[in-house]
Amino acid sequence: MSDFPWLTTLWVLPIVGAVVVLLLPAAQRTLARGLAFGVALAVLVLGIVLAVRFEPGGAQYQFVESHEWIPAFGAGYTLGLDGIALVLVLLTAALVPLLILAGWNDEREVGSGRRVAHTYVALTLLVEAMVLISFVSLDILLFYVFFEAMLVPMYFLIGGFGPRSADLAHRQQRSRAAVKFLLYNLFGGLIMLAAVIGLYVLTAREGLGSGSAGTFDFRAVVAAANAGQLGAGPAVLNALFLGFMFAFAVKAPLWPLHTWLPDAAVAATPSSAVLMMAVVDKVGTFGMLRYCLLLFPDASSTLAPLVITLAVIGIIYGALLAIGQTDVMRLIAYTSISHFGFIILGIFAMTSQGQTGATLYMVNHGISTAALFLIAGFLVSRRGTRAIAAYGGVQKVAPVLAGTFFIAGLATLSLPGLAPFVSEFLVLLGTFTRYGFAAVIATGALVLAALYVLWMYQRMMTGPVKEGNERLYDLVPRELAVVVPLIAALLFLGIYPKPVLDFINPAVGQTLTTIGVHDPAPKTPAIPEAGPAGADHGGAHK
């Protein structure tokens, strides 16, 4: 079983499931949804098997598969899994079946076509497959191909499967949001492609590949980069770093490249919006941690202050704009901009605590955003409006919905005892040791988060029942099956994050060791050693 292609099976399985779903008869909507859900569960089981078999103290990359792909270009089909990728694989594999279950009846909202359910769940599985191979790829060209390819099914999920509306202006707005998402991310990908080609030229010039070709082997390029063997000056390496970073900053998204996210989030169905914010966008922050830092260690250190400045602006900016929103779904989308700022801040703080916190934040943000956005989506589907002002007194007619919404909101503001608190605390602590001023400014977002979450809850859930809310019903069993695991995960990881940290810590340590960065020494006054009893220390003052 040691030669079994675990990672290939991991990402190919959802593709096979998507194809089978599309081949089902048009009338078999329930079977299509059930099959997609079963395939997503199988992927989750496979992810758990990988976690059980993974050795945190073992090789940096495990379950490695390596085959020739395009030998003339030095590109190979090379896969491998480290602790950082593993926790993101588990996040993706755990969320997708919940999203399929949450969107079980979404085709009633998205359209009346005969194969809407088939296409909807098949596209979801395709996105999952492409995200998974992005996390496990150890070939730069292979990563780039799927980094870009995942935009296509996500584009159709946003533009073709948003909430159904008879309003032509609303449908046009949804189309514009999908096009904006695609253009922003395609442009970032094209900039990255130029950087990928530039990096390949350097490897060919230095003879890192076979013959006259260069190489896209991630491990070989990292070894050469950290040994100073790429044969390029700081200006060239800084430019290549910015090429990669620009694409990842668009996808993450980082201020000021974030403007596509709120529009796309409200245009898509809640399940598709969560797939985008909690899963797809994590490929951007993962790319920063893996590709930007490891391929360009010197450029990362040189340009870290710039990235940290943008991250801090994004943290405050996203929180301030969230406070001013009147649309509940758009409000939650803006909170994600703030949270991604925290993740990027932790990555470029270049400390073990910061990067551990950033990786854990990716997981916790995915869970908390999924919980808050899906519960809000359940509520909006009942009432038919996203306007916060339309709600009021919901906790009196739907107490379980209101209670779970409150817990998810508290997780979003990083309340101690819930999962995001641990990761946010680690990010701020790790940042403070190297960039104290940035950490202090970012801490201000904690107050802003409490403001936008608690004020939103007060307006929507408390007070007298507003007209039109009397008939709202509580969460049904299918919705509880989605929400309960998410709330349980927030509670469990808030109290006991060790199982996840056990995978993350060794991988972060290996990353910092590879790029030659060490945690800052504690800034404490040295305590003079005591001399022999009765010794005369007066000479020290002479």
Side-chain angles (χ1 to χ4, degrees), residues 279-372:
V279 176
V280 172
D281 290 355
K282 296 300 187 300
V283 180
T285 47
F286 171 79
M288 295 178 194
L289 187 54
R290 170 167 286 184
Y291 290 89
C292 288
L293 265 60
L294 290 174
L295 292 175
F296 312 103
D298 293 336
S300 297
S301 297
T302 300
L303 297 172
L306 171 62
V307 178
I308 284 176
T309 300
L310 297 178
V312 171
I313 293 174
I315 290 170
I316 303 300
Y317 174 87
L320 288 174
L321 262 65
I323 293 172
Q325 297 305 309
T326 58
D327 180 322
V328 60
M329 309 305 267
R330 189 174 288 271
L331 186 155
I332 299 172
Y334 274 111
T335 67
S336 285
I337 295 172
S338 183
H339 294 151
F340 275 110
F342 275 109
I343 295 171
I344 297 168
L345 180 66
I347 291 172
F348 283 90
M350 302 288 191
T351 61
S352 57
Q353 289 172 324
Q355 292 189 359
T356 296
T359 306
L360 185 61
Y361 211 130
M362 294 184 215
V363 176
N364 292 338
H365 170 263
I367 300 170
S368 61
T369 296
L372 190 61

Side-chain angles (χ1 to χ4, degrees), residues 328 332 371-372 374-380 382-383 387-409 453-466 469 472-475:
V328 60
I332 299 172
L372 190 61
L374 291 177
I375 297 169
F378 294 150
L379 181 59
V380 169
R382 288 157 165 74
R383 186 68 171 81
I388 294 175
Y391 297 93
V394 174
Q395 66 181 12
K396 295 180 180 178
V397 294
V400 177
L401 188 152
T404 53
F405 186 83
F406 185 58
I407 295 173
V453 168
L454 297 178
W455 191 30
M456 174 181 63
Y457 183 85
Q458 180 189 32
R459 288 181 288 171
M460 296 181 66
M461 303 297 173
T462 65
V465 179
K466 283 194 175 181
N469 295 333
L472 294 179
Y473 54 92
D474 219 332
L475 295 178

Side-chain angles (χ1 to χ4, degrees), residues 448-510:
L448 299 177
L451 180 58
Y452 62 67
V453 168
L454 297 178
W455 191 30
M456 174 181 63
Y457 183 85
Q458 180 189 32
R459 288 181 288 171
M460 296 181 66
M461 303 297 173
T462 65
V465 179
K466 283 194 175 181
E467 183 180 356
N469 295 333
E470 305 90 348
R471 298 180 182 179
L472 294 179
Y473 54 92
D474 219 332
L475 295 178
V476 299
R478 175 181 59 84
E479 294 168 338
L480 284 172
V482 173
V483 173
V484 169
L486 295 172
I487 299 298
L490 291 174
L491 293 170
F492 177 78
L493 293 178
I495 298 170
Y496 191 64
K498 184 177 182 297
V500 179
L501 292 176
D502 284 345
F503 293 123
I504 295 173
N505 284 328
V508 167
Q510 289 168 331

Side-chain angles (χ1 to χ4, degrees), residues 85-341:
L86 176 61
V87 297
L88 295 176
V89 164
L90 290 173
L91 172 68
T92 302
L95 284 181
V96 170
L98 295 179
L99 297 181
I100 292 175
L101 192 60
W104 195 263
N105 296 317
D106 273 356
E107 76 275 6
R108 297 177 183 174
E109 299 293 329
V110 300
S112 56
R114 296 180 62 200
R115 302 190 63 86
V116 168
H118 299 62
T119 307
Y120 185 64
V121 295
L123 289 172
T124 301
L125 291 176
L126 286 177
V127 172
E128 179 184 28
M130 294 176 183
V131 169
L132 289 173
I133 191 173
S134 298
F135 288 144
V136 302
S137 175
L138 291 180
D139 183 273
I140 298 171
L141 183 61
L142 184 67
F143 169 83
Y144 173 77
V145 168
F146 286 96
F147 179 82
E148 289 289 270
M150 70 179 69
L151 300 177
V152 177
M154 199 68 239
Y155 164 79
F156 285 110
L157 283 173
I158 297 170
F161 295 87
R164 189 178 181 182
S165 175
D167 184 0
L168 177 62
H170 184 274
R171 294 200 302 270
Q172 291 175 339
Q173 183 181 14
R174 189 176 68 204
S175 298
R176 285 195 297 268
V179 171
K180 189 175 183 181
F181 159 83
L182 188 63
L183 291 180
Y184 265 68
N185 283 274
L186 279 178
F187 180 67
L190 289 174
I191 299 297
M192 180 178 168
L193 177 60
V196 168
I197 294 172
L199 185 62
Y200 175 80
V201 170
L202 292 182
T203 64
R205 190 175 64 184
E206 297 301 317
L208 297 180
S210 59
S212 59
T215 183
F216 289 105
D217 187 304
F218 174 74
R219 293 171 296 177
V221 179
V222 167
N226 287 276
Q229 296 175 353
L230 287 182
V236 173
L237 294 177
N238 288 348
L240 294 178
F241 165 86
L242 289 173
F244 278 80
M245 183 64 195
F246 184 84
F248 298 145
V250 171
K251 183 157 286 189
L254 175 66
W255 183 91
L257 304 172
H258 66 283
T259 57
W260 61 267
L261 177 63
D263 294 337
V266 299
T269 64
S271 295
S272 296
V274 171
L275 183 67
M276 177 184 67
M277 292 187 294
V279 176
V280 172
D281 290 355
K282 296 300 187 300
V283 180
T285 47
F286 171 79
M288 295 178 194
L289 187 54
R290 170 167 286 184
Y291 290 89
C292 288
L293 265 60
L294 290 174
L295 292 175
F296 312 103
D298 293 336
S300 297
S301 297
T302 300
L303 297 172
L306 171 62
V307 178
I308 284 176
T309 300
L310 297 178
V312 171
I313 293 174
I315 290 170
I316 303 300
Y317 174 87
L320 288 174
L321 262 65
I323 293 172
Q325 297 305 309
T326 58
D327 180 322
V328 60
M329 309 305 267
R330 189 174 288 271
L331 186 155
I332 299 172
Y334 274 111
T335 67
S336 285
I337 295 172
S338 183
H339 294 151
F340 275 110

Side-chain angles (χ1 to χ4, degrees), residues 11-35:
W11 76 271
V12 169
L13 182 58
I15 289 184
V16 173
V19 172
V20 174
V21 165
L22 290 174
L23 293 176
L24 291 175
Q28 300 294 331
R29 294 187 177 187
T30 301
L31 179 59
R33 292 189 296 253
L35 178 59

